[in-house]
Amino acid sequence: MASFALSATVRCLSQPLAAGSGKVADRRDGCCYLGISSMFSRKANSSTSTTTRELTVTNVASPQRLSNIVPLPEKENVVDDHNHWRNHVAWTSVRQERWEGELVVEGEIPLWLSGTYLRNGPGLWHIGDYNFRHLFDGYAMLVGLHFENGCLIAGHRQIESEAYKAAKKNNKLCYREFSEVPKFDSFLSYVGDLANLFSGASLTDNANTGVIKLGDGRVVCLTETQKGSIVIDPDTLDTLGKFEYSDSLGGLIHSAHPIVTETEFLTLLPDLIKPGYLVVKMEPGTNERKVIGRVDCRGGPSPGWVHSFPVTEHYVVVPEMSLRYCAQNLLKAEPTPLYKFNWHPDSKAFVHIMCKASGQIVASVEVPLFVTFHFINAYEEKDEEGRVTAIVADCCEHNADTTILDKLRLQNLRSFNGQDVLPDARVGRFTIPLDGSPFGELDAALEPDEHGRGMDMCSINPAYLGKKYRYAYACGAQRPCNFPNTLTKIDLVEKKAKNWYDEGAVPSEPLFVARPGATEEDDGVVISMISEKNGDGYALLFDGSTFEEIARAKFPYGLPYGLHGCWVPKK
């Protein structure tokens, strides 16, 4: 993020400390190191205990770099304890397309942390006078946190998809979003849109879900439409253009969460015509996907939703959920309670295991009904002779309750009145036998009360992808609540969780970054971004091992809630 460092146009210098409450002792790479005697006390509340950490302001933005100041957005007024949720910054649109600046750091950022944390998610939930209805509808906004030499430079940009640019130009919705359909002037224009729907032309390219770094270094923002794959510059956050697949596999949708490492890219392409999934791979440096194999669905009129899926060292785990794609709902001008899906419990649920090397299906078993957006990880269980006997796959499972989708309507998120309305969730653990048995198991990997019966937005140490692992970092619940509101470290061996909670705050997905040279699974830091009910926000760093707060940096304004992120190490 060299350009951030060179053109950081707004600095957080309005705080009293930056106005001269300390003496400049040293300056390294544009950061002023101040000897400050003031101590800041922060409370990190747990559902079982409360701990207090003292943070010292160690790094403050340099006042010499204040050229080309960009005006900051104004806060919305908080009316009262209930209405503040309507104005909570987590559920409001960002007020400008782009911003960047250096932040005051309270605490200490490890000097080894060198690179950029990128977070993608919806940043704009309205166009003109029209307000979008669902969390997943908003136009994508990319946030970057650049760490170097203990300093932090932040910024955000709206991703310039065709959907976003057309909406800006015409001051109205022009493409189909998750729950939104453009308003048509006539029946003929509606018929024309349906024709474009089947060709994919009217589907959005609003890449507001995830962001990944490919093995060749390219950084791509994604959503569930294949056309919504957009290349961005991780240094400037600028939109570079479409990621065009060079193969002829076709299709309109894919898993929003591919499996990406330095050497492989794997994803699923649902087949809505002949219900099933293509499992495909793409080599680094190419745009061509190649088919590993195909899985035919065993139940239902269409394939189950596959927002994500896990892999092991040798196998791809293909879930077939009873929450299935629904063409009829896709054609409707107004959203149904399940949006683009339908619930088919009679069709049952299945998990298929495919060999990565051969494309052969080695197991296809019925499992209890489940609902999940996000898988966490999977690994192979082996016997004493090293033979694989079962596949274990963990996910954030919503107790087969589809109401979570409708709970994510913005109206529901903005109207929290203190009642406990967040549906329960758990770490669901599938055990899929490879001995020919027709059934698999689904149980809770630990007692759900450990994390408040809320569970989503998980990350792990990427070195343990597809391998037996112990720790996961996620968002849990401090009840009553209407949305996950804690950060949680899960120990799957001790079956315990440690929780961080700040009243009224909405944290985004915690991302684990391993310390270079680390030998322990949890040796690193965890990064999250927090939206506060008073309109503020801050970046937060934890020690991955102790799960204690080690640093935070306040933004000069609050950012909306974001979805998924990735880490781009310094080149």
Side-chain angles (χ1 to χ4, degrees):
M1 198 173 278
S3 61
F4 265 14
L6 292 174
S7 63
T9 54
V10 179
R11 307 297 183 223
C12 303
L13 299 176
S14 60
Q15 303 180 37
L17 285 170
S21 59
K23 181 180 179 181
V24 175
D26 189 15
R27 181 176 298 132
R28 302 184 184 98
D29 295 327
C31 290
C32 294
Y33 286 67
L34 282 77
I36 298 176
S37 59
S38 303
M39 301 294 289
F40 292 78
S41 177
R42 301 286 186 187
K43 290 186 178 181
N45 299 322
S46 168
S47 59
T48 56
S49 64
T50 301
T51 59
T52 301
R53 289 189 55 78
E54 290 186 336
L55 298 178
T56 306
V57 175
T58 56
N59 304 341
V60 177
S62 170
Q64 280 81 4
R65 293 156 62 185
L66 279 170
S67 60
N68 302 321
I69 292 178
V70 178
L72 297 178
E74 296 179 0
K75 295 181 185 177
E76 290 185 354
N77 293 325
V78 176
V79 179
D80 59 41
D81 193 49
H82 290 328
N83 285 339
H84 75 245
W85 285 97
R86 179 168 296 278
N87 298 323
H88 196 297
V89 70
W91 320 123
T92 57
S93 296
V94 71
R95 285 170 171 71
Q96 54 191 28
E97 285 190 333
R98 55 194 296 146
W99 176 86
E100 60 189 33
E102 191 172 334
L103 305 184
V104 174
V105 175
E106 300 174 30
E108 186 173 351
I109 297 172
L111 293 178
W112 60 259
L113 190 64
S114 184
T116 302
Y117 164 69
L118 297 173
R119 191 197 74 175
N120 193 7
L124 189 68
W125 280 300
H126 74 279
I127 190 69
D129 295 330
Y130 185 77
N131 292 308
F132 294 167
R133 287 174 278 200
H134 200 276
L135 173 66
F136 299 158
D137 285 324
Y139 291 118
M141 181 183 73
L142 194 65
V143 180
L145 302 178
H146 175 66
F147 298 90
E148 189 170 3
N149 296 323
C151 295
L152 173 55
I153 295 174
H156 82 260
R157 304 279 191 277
Q158 290 294 133
I159 295 175
E160 295 184 347
S161 62
E162 293 302 319
Y164 173 68
K165 291 189 292 185
K168 277 185 60 182
K169 179 180 178 180
N170 297 286
N171 203 34
K172 66 177 183 179
L173 187 75
C174 298
Y175 289 83
R176 289 173 174 259
E177 301 296 335
F178 178 79
S179 75
E180 300 290 345
V181 176
K183 304 302 179 185
F184 304 106
D185 299 330
S186 66
F187 178 74
L188 287 178
S189 62
Y190 171 67
V191 172
D193 177 77
L194 291 183
N196 288 332
L197 174 61
F198 288 111
S199 70
S202 68
L203 292 179
T204 187
D205 66 340
N206 176 24
N208 67 358
T209 304
V211 54
I212 57 173
K213 184 182 79 70
L214 300 178
D216 56 35
R218 290 178 293 177
V219 177
V220 182
C221 293
L222 298 169
T223 188
E224 291 191 345
T225 63
Q226 291 191 38
K227 66 186 290 189
S229 302
I230 295 178
V231 183
I232 61 96
D233 185 325
D235 293 334
T236 65
L237 307 185
D238 288 336
T239 301
L240 300 181
K242 297 273 190 177
F243 186 94
E244 301 282 0
Y245 297 100
S246 60
D247 53 70
S248 58
L249 294 179
L252 303 178
I253 55 178
H254 58 182
S255 172
H257 295 281
I259 300 296
V260 183
T261 69
E262 293 300 314
T263 59
E264 70 179 0
F265 174 103
L266 301 170
T267 194
L268 302 182
L269 307 183
D271 185 342
L272 303 181
I273 306 300
K274 183 183 177 184
Y277 313 90
L278 286 181
V279 181
V280 302
K281 64 181 179 180
M282 185 171 67
E283 300 295 330
T286 75
N287 290 37
E288 182 182 5
R289 299 163 300 180
K290 297 180 180 179
V291 176
I292 297 175
R294 176 186 166 90
V295 174
D296 290 320
C297 289
R298 287 181 55 185
S302 58
W305 186 23
V306 284
H307 185 73
S308 69
F309 66 100
V311 300
T312 70
E313 292 183 85
H314 303 101
Y315 301 101
V316 179
V317 180
V318 181
E320 184 183 339
M321 190 162 52
S322 298
L323 185 63
R324 299 178 181 272
Y325 296 98
C326 179
Q328 291 87 346
N329 286 352
L330 188 65
L331 297 174
K332 292 178 179 178
E334 291 296 323
T336 70
L338 292 180
Y339 303 93
K340 306 299 187 285
F341 315 103
N342 221 335
W343 181 240
H344 293 276
D346 293 342
S347 72
K348 302 180 181 180
F350 305 91
V351 172
H352 314 276
I353 308 297
M354 178 181 288
C355 175
K356 286 183 184 177
S358 68
Q360 296 297 310
I361 298 172
V362 300
S364 180
V365 303
E366 182 183 339
V367 295
L369 297 181
F370 66 97
V371 169
T372 184
F373 299 161
H374 301 115
F375 278 86
I376 304 170
N377 197 21
Y379 59 89
E380 299 161 12
E381 287 278 25
K382 299 180 180 180
D383 62 18
E384 293 178 355
E385 297 180 1
R387 292 173 298 196
V388 179
T389 60
I391 302 297
V392 174
D394 295 337
C395 69
C396 303
E397 205 277 306
H398 297 277
N399 295 292
D401 183 356
T402 63
T403 60
I404 183 62
L405 266 176
D406 211 42
K407 294 297 183 184
L408 298 181
R409 285 190 299 131
L410 291 169
Q411 178 183 352
N412 292 334
L413 297 175
R414 292 168 176 163
S415 60
F416 180 57
N417 60 7
Q419 294 182 334
D420 193 24
V421 295
L422 177 68
D424 284 1
R426 60 180 177 168
V427 179
R429 170 159 288 183
F430 293 97
T431 303
I432 311 301
L434 299 187
D435 61 1
S437 299
F439 299 103
E441 298 175 358
L442 172 59
D443 299 295
L446 74 164
E447 171 56 49
D449 283 334
E450 279 288 319
H451 48 77
R453 306 186 320 281
M455 179 51 45
D456 215 336
M457 313 303 280
C458 274
S459 75
I460 64 168
N461 183 331
Y464 288 77
L465 175 70
K467 303 175 182 178
K468 199 160 192 176
Y469 71 119
R470 178 173 181 174
Y471 301 110
Y473 303 90
C475 292
Q478 173 86 3
R479 294 181 180 270
C481 61
N482 70 337
F483 194 80
N485 58 0
T486 72
L487 293 170
T488 299
K489 179 183 180 181
I490 297 168
D491 185 332
L492 293 165
V493 173
E494 295 291 334
K495 299 187 182 300
K496 295 291 184 181
K498 187 172 184 179
N499 304 293
W500 173 94
Y501 172 70
D502 187 2
E503 185 178 359
V506 178
S508 65
E509 175 188 66
L511 186 85
F512 179 85
V513 181
R515 182 181 63 81
T519 57
E520 297 297 324
E521 181 180 346
D522 58 352
D523 185 357
V525 299
V526 178
I527 305 171
S528 180
M529 294 176 58
I530 314 298
S531 302
E532 295 185 281
K533 67 182 181 182
N534 64 0
D536 291 333
Y538 54 94
L540 192 59
L541 267 69
F542 292 88
D543 181 293
S545 177
T546 65
F547 207 57
E548 296 289 342
E549 179 180 341
I550 58 174
R552 67 170 61 192
K554 187 175 182 179
F555 296 106
Y557 62 101
L559 286 170
Y561 178 77
L563 296 173
H564 302 286
C566 75
W567 176 252
V568 180
K570 184 180 178 182
K571 298 176 183 178

